[in-house]
Amino acid sequence: MTEAELAELLRDCPTLFHMAEAGAWPTIRGHGLLSTRAALDRFAVPDAIRAAAERRRPEGIVLERADLGRIVLRDQKPLSDRALARCLRDRLTPADWHRRLNERVFFWLSRKRVLTLLAGRAYRDHAHEILEIDAAALVAAHRDRIELSAINSGATGRFPAPRGADTFRPIDAYPYAEWRKKRPRGERVVELTVLGAVPELERFVRRVVVMRGADEVEILAEAAPTAA
């Protein structure tokens, strides 16, 4: 991706979206967004719980400490190890793929995809906190740890997209021009991931909204408008 292409992407997708469990915002505000691996390290999780958390999670796993607060490692209901075994390339195994997922923080570039996820059978009956993030500011601060994906890497579905060693690519190596020919604006990158964690996330936040399905229930945080 060239600098001009990155500028185009940020114009088309000025807001990133992260879906968190209800009640997550206070801990995120205090610790930033942590990858699964970073959260397990921060909370000093025992080996038995850690092993379960690093595999596919059919349900969310709660991490809680009096001095750190409470965090929920999200379930991975849209992901199937059986389907991964069919669609993985480059001699990767499902365990390899989970390691790749667990080392990242994930953001959507499309509000439409967030709404589709919220409307799905697994999540539509529950409230979630949606973090809306200033894309340009986050990219400027963490560019060296950002990798992009052209697919939903954490879902398989009936017809899982092939995935492998080159699914996550640094910004400079991402084939944006190729996807521009195939997809409309807003869909040329599906996921923006940050390796490790995003500390001090609050400085990039535009809004934090509690949502149930497509309905906004409550605004938990909102950045002050910038001066003209």
Side-chain angles (χ1 to χ4, degrees), residues 25 130 132 206-211 216-223:
W25 174 236
I130 305 301
E132 301 178 0
R206 289 178 168 170
R207 291 199 312 163
V208 180
V209 186
V210 179
M211 298 189 68
E216 293 191 2
V217 177
E218 181 183 3
I219 298 175
L220 299 179
E222 191 165 17

Side-chain angles (χ1 to χ4, degrees), residues 160-183:
R163 60 204 72 193
D166 62 350
T167 295
F168 298 106
R169 300 195 189 189
I171 290 174
D172 293 347
Y174 188 80
Y176 183 84
E178 176 183 331
W179 289 111
R180 183 198 275 142
K181 298 174 184 177
K182 300 176 181 179
R183 293 181 180 172

Side-chain angles (χ1 to χ4, degrees), residues 110-137:
S110 162
R111 181 177 178 83
K112 179 180 177 181
R113 286 185 177 267
V114 176
L115 294 176
T116 298
L117 187 62
L118 288 169
R121 183 170 56 186
Y123 302 124
R124 64 190 175 205
D125 295 329
H126 305 281
H128 300 272
E129 293 176 2
I130 305 301
L131 282 61
E132 301 178 0
I133 306 297
D134 184 319

Side-chain angles (χ1 to χ4, degrees), residues 141-169:
H142 296 289
R143 179 168 178 162
D144 61 331
R145 294 189 295 112
I146 287 174
E147 293 184 345
L148 308 175
S149 169
I151 66 168
N152 179 351
S153 62
T156 44
R158 292 183 62 190
F159 304 104
R163 60 204 72 193
D166 62 350
T167 295
F168 298 106
R169 300 195 189 189

